[in-house]
């Protein structure tokens, strides 16, 4: 996979600097420029899904100019608070849905969400507005991490970074903070990734075909992939630290949302009271965060969600079908079997499996 590297592959951070992708006052572009230029040429290159190329950094595939400097910055500058709650996930596994559910659950006494005059943020904002991504925060907001200090406690933050790339300050058992991880059947993850990133892929790069995406995915080359390693690392961590990380599948949430949301609230230290359950609060939260409700939001334009500095995501981008098993409408029987086989092998002996 490794290939002759060139800084003229659209990965040139000089462009970012000129585009002002990083907060100028932080000096991040200067602080990490030397390191970036030294490390970049040493990294294996693979075909990108949204960009021309992605690089393999410490075992995982990342879009370098979007994620390398921010990763280093997180390590050096991000100050964890013991009450922080992190949503961790690989892309297209249910992050948006879980962001909404966690935000609604944690803030259920703060915002009224059932009356017709409700001003609940989830009624006019994309869930990505309500729960920021740590990974892209500096790029999206042009702010330093101190901007996150104004979030009410507990802060809800999200990351697509794999477990092994996170700083000790976040994952150490003494840090106090908690993690919730969601994963999803790899076949559906592949299709959801392909459709999503194809929409963000610059026209001049042409489309990524289903066959290409399938082959890349099976080689582990996807954003924040290999997907199996992303899942396995968090899975193993959850077995060792069940009080620190709650691990579940998108499919479980689809099948039994009531059970999962109650488990979530309990894990986050805010279990639903008997009265709340009797009054249907859990059902209200599930309804507020349903695919139907979130995908039909009249998102407040003044708070349009930025995917990166240049890409302003519209609300619909994050809602396609929201079903389990849709990949069978796209993948051949052989492709599905092949992916199932890879994941059976990779997850073998771990106690985790995806329904084949
Ligand atoms: P992200 O990594 O860009 O944040 P993420 O939210 O993890 O994406 O995944 C998007 C998937 O979740 C989409 O799946 P699909 O492509 O198979 O349709 C999206 O439709 C689905 N999704 C988003 N919101 C919901 C929801 N409320 N209920 C069920 N599925 C949802």
């Amino acid at each position: 996979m490794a290939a002759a590297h060139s800084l003229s592959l659209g990965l040139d951070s000089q462009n970012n600097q000129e585009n002002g992708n990083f907060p100028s006052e932080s000096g991040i572009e200067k602080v990490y420029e030397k390191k970036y230029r030294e490390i970049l040429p040493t990294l294996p290159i693979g075909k990108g899904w949204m960009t021309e190329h992605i690089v393999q950094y410490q075992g995982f595939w990342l879009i370098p100019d979007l994620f390398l400097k921010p990763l280093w910055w997180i390590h050096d500058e991000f100050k964890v608070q013991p009450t922080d709650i992190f949503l961790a996930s690989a892309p297209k596994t249910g992050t948006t849905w879980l962001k909404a559910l966690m935000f609604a659950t944690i803030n259920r006494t703060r915002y009224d969400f059932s009356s017709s005059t409700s001003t609940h943020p989830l009624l006019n904002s994309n869930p990505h507005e309500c729960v920021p991504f740590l990974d892209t925060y500096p790029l999206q907001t042009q702010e330093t991490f101190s901007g996150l200090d104004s979030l009410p406690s507990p802060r809800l933050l999200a990351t697509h970074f794999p477990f092994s790339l996170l700083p000790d300050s976040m994952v150490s058992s003494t840090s106090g903070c908690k993690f919730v991880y969601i994963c999803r059947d790899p076949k559906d993850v592949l299709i959801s990734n392909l459709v999503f990133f194809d929409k963000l892929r610059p026209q001049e790069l042409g489309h990524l075909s289903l066959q290409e995406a399938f082959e890349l995915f099976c080689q582990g080359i996807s954003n924040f992939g290999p997907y199996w390693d992303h899942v396995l690392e968090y899975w193993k961590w959850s077995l060792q630290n069940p009080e620190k990380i709650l691990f579940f599948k998108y499919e479980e949430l689809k099948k039994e949302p009531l059970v999962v949301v109650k488990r979530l609230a309990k894990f986050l230290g805010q279990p639903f009271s008997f009265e709340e359950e009797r009054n249907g609060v859990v059902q209200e939260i599930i309804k507020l965060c349903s695919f139907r409700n979130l995908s039909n939001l009249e998102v407040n334009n003044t708070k349009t969600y930025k995917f990166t500095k240049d890409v302003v995501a519209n609300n619909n981008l994050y809602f396609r079908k929201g079903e389990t098993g849709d990949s069978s409408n796209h993948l051949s029987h052989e492709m599905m079997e092949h992916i199932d086989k890879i994941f059976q092998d990779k997850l073998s002996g771990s106690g985790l499996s995806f329904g084949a």
Side-chain angles (χ1 to χ4, degrees):
M1 209 50 243
H5 193 89
S6 154
L7 281 175
S8 63
L9 296 173
L11 311 178
D12 191 341
S13 67
Q14 186 67 33
N15 292 335
N16 292 334
Q17 201 171 329
E18 282 156 13
N19 293 342
N21 265 355
F22 292 98
S24 53
E25 69 274 18
S26 76
I28 182 178
E29 73 283 3
K30 292 203 185 80
V31 174
Y32 298 116
E33 189 57 24
K34 189 162 171 280
K35 181 173 179 179
Y36 185 78
R37 286 187 175 275
E38 279 169 9
I39 286 181
L40 199 57
T42 68
L43 302 177
I45 296 179
K47 185 165 178 139
W49 294 60
M50 182 181 99
T51 49
E52 190 172 8
H53 294 95
I54 49 180
V55 297
Q56 193 181 34
Y57 181 73
Q58 297 186 358
F60 288 89
W61 292 94
L62 306 174
I63 300 173
D65 54 353
L66 279 187
F67 296 112
L68 276 181
K69 285 180 180 179
L71 177 64
W72 298 329
W73 206 28
I74 290 172
H75 276 253
D76 291 346
E77 299 293 334
F78 176 63
K79 302 271 181 295
V80 181
Q81 294 179 6
T83 48
D84 284 345
I85 297 168
F86 296 99
L87 187 176
S89 61
K92 317 320 290 178
T93 55
T95 320
T96 315
W97 189 13
L98 186 54
K99 276 188 175 186
L101 287 168
M102 286 171 70
F103 183 85
T105 301
I106 288 288
N107 292 298
R108 65 186 186 267
T109 54
R110 197 154 162 242
Y111 303 109
D112 159 38
F113 50 82
S114 47
S115 80
S116 56
T117 55
S118 171
T119 55
H120 198 292
L122 284 169
L123 290 173
N124 66 12
S125 310
N126 181 285
H128 292 288
E129 281 282 345
C130 304
V131 181
F133 268 115
L134 198 55
D135 322 350
T136 45
Y137 185 77
L139 274 78
Q140 288 165 343
T141 61
Q142 309 288 293
E143 283 179 19
T144 62
F145 286 123
S146 60
L148 294 171
D149 292 345
S150 58
L151 289 178
S153 177
R155 299 188 301 180
L156 281 181
L157 300 166
T159 183
H160 279 327
F161 281 125
F163 171 75
S164 59
L165 291 194
L166 294 177
D168 285 348
S169 58
M170 283 169 73
V171 299
S172 90
S173 48
T174 53
S175 70
C177 56
K178 292 193 169 194
F179 278 73
V180 180
Y181 185 80
I182 187 165
C183 64
R184 186 182 187 187
D185 185 291
K187 303 183 289 302
D188 289 344
V189 172
L190 159 61
I191 294 303
S192 191
N193 267 288
L194 176 60
V195 177
F196 178 81
F197 287 116
D198 195 52
K199 288 185 184 145
L200 296 173
R201 204 172 152 84
Q203 242 179 348
E204 62 270 22
L205 295 183
H207 290 287
L208 196 65
S209 71
L210 175 62
Q211 183 63 32
E212 279 177 303
F214 167 74
E215 285 170 15
L216 288 171
F217 191 76
C218 291
Q219 292 169 57
I221 305 172
S222 59
N223 293 313
F224 300 95
Y227 178 53
W228 53 82
D229 281 338
H230 202 289
V231 175
L232 262 180
E233 282 192 356
Y234 279 103
W235 169 247
K236 287 180 182 165
W237 191 41
S238 78
L239 293 180
Q240 290 155 3
N241 295 279
E243 65 301 319
K244 175 99 181 162
I245 167 169
L246 177 68
F247 182 107
F248 62 88
K249 297 178 187 164
Y250 178 93
E251 291 75 17
E252 293 174 73
L253 190 51
K254 280 293 279 189
K255 199 169 165 200
E256 294 189 301
L258 213 70
V259 174
V260 177
V261 172
K262 281 200 242 174
R263 203 191 304 155
L264 182 67
K266 193 169 170 209
F267 174 78
L268 297 177
Q270 298 191 11
F272 292 101
S273 64
F274 177 72
E275 201 178 7
E276 283 180 314
E277 289 201 25
R278 198 185 50 200
N279 292 340
V281 173
V282 195
Q283 285 90 340
E284 290 285 355
I285 287 175
I286 291 167
K287 189 172 157 205
L288 176 72
C289 303
S290 66
F291 184 91
R292 191 191 173 96
N293 271 8
L294 294 179
S295 59
N296 285 314
L297 288 184
E298 297 242 344
V299 176
N300 181 343
N301 284 331
T302 59
K303 291 167 76 187
T304 316
Y305 173 72
K306 280 185 186 172
F307 185 75
T308 67
K309 174 181 163 284
D310 301 316
V311 181
V312 177
N314 69 34
N315 192 54
N316 288 343
L317 187 65
Y318 291 90
F319 307 97
R320 192 181 62 93
K321 286 198 171 170
E323 289 168 8
T324 53
D326 174 57
S327 50
S328 64
N329 297 316
H330 300 263
L331 298 169
S332 67
H333 189 66
E334 291 71 33
M335 284 169 153
M336 292 181 38
E337 270 189 354
H338 190 69
I339 295 173
D340 284 339
K341 175 80 178 57
I342 289 176
F343 278 78
Q344 274 162 15
D345 289 349
K346 297 286 183 189
L347 304 185
S348 157
S350 71
L352 177 69
S353 63
F354 289 104

